[in-house]
Amino acid sequence: MNKRLNALYKLLVGDPTARFELLMLLGRVLVPRYRFKWPDLDWMDNGDFNDYLGHFGEGTGLNTDRRWMLGQLLRLTCEVPGDTAECGVYRGASSYAICRFNASLKSAPRNHFAFDSFQGLSAPLAEDGHHWSGGDLRVPLARLWPFQAVEAS
Ligand SMILES: C[S@@+](CC[C@H](N)C(=O)[O-])C[C@H]1O[C@@H](n2cnc3c(N)ncnc32)[C@H](O)[C@@H]1O
């Protein structure tokens, strides 16, 4: 038995594909509806992208797909004139990505507008369920990456 375990251990340590396959096997048992992605695709080893996630404390978070998708969608806007805006910015991660992309364009400069209450979510109504409470996701403007603040009247 020990020999078999030893062989399995060596296989897993020395072979990333085997490790990933074991992970998928576990996934099938624990959360059958969860679908894995090919580990060698897109963002997993993209240093720049992972540094960006890390900057916002999302290196191991659940937003990776959304953040990557935003980057891909931004690429489609290269030729679109005008400014950009985000409604509900939280810690500013998406707005940061949008600003960084805007700055990389050779076309006319874009302004980016970040709208938020900076007071988090409003108190939920009955139809909103019980997952969130009023004030959740609150990030004061002062903690955001330096947007120029303009108070709504
Ligand atoms: C889920 S977070 C946004 C996440 C963000 N888009 C991202 O990509 O990381 C929701 C944000 O919406 C803001 N918010 C919620 N209700 C609002 C309202 N009625 N008016 C303005 N901002 C609101 C919260 O303060 C919070 O920052």
Side-chain angles (χ1 to χ4, degrees):
M1 185 65 182
N2 267 351
K3 267 188 182 171
R4 279 193 190 151
L5 277 179
N6 211 12
L8 180 66
Y9 175 78
K10 276 188 183 157
L11 175 77
L12 294 178
V13 168
D15 183 349
T17 305
R19 295 166 72 165
F20 191 76
E21 280 168 3
L22 181 66
L23 188 64
M24 285 201 297
L25 198 66
L26 273 175
R28 253 179 250 141
V29 173
L30 297 176
V31 192
R33 71 180 193 286
Y34 186 78
R35 270 150 284 180
F36 285 86
K37 300 177 71 171
W38 292 109
D40 50 352
L41 282 185
D42 51 44
W43 46 261
M44 228 175 256
D45 293 318
N46 185 312
D48 184 49
F49 178 63
N50 286 307
D51 286 350
Y52 153 68
L53 291 179
H55 181 71
F56 287 93
E58 295 187 357
T60 56
L62 302 175
N63 281 329
T64 304
D65 272 336
R66 285 195 319 116
R67 303 277 179 234
W68 181 262
M69 182 58 71
L70 175 63
Q72 301 306 302
L73 292 173
L74 281 167
R75 292 171 59 191
L76 299 175
T77 72
C78 277
E79 307 291 328
V80 182
D83 295 329
T84 51
E86 183 185 16
C87 301
V89 297
Y90 190 43
R91 293 182 185 144
S94 293
S95 278
Y96 179 92
I98 296 168
C99 288
R100 201 166 66 154
F101 178 79
N102 287 352
S104 76
L105 292 175
K106 294 192 172 62
S107 50
R110 286 173 171 174
N111 295 307
H112 179 72
F113 298 92
F115 297 97
D116 206 290
S117 63
F118 302 106
Q119 294 171 11
L121 304 180
S122 49
L125 303 176
E127 60 264 35
D128 296 322
H130 302 290
H131 184 75
W132 298 107
S133 303
D136 282 353
L137 304 178
R138 177 178 180 271
V139 177
L141 179 57
R143 275 189 46 203
L144 276 174
W145 171 75
F147 290 109
Q148 185 188 349
V150 179
E151 288 283 330
S153 49

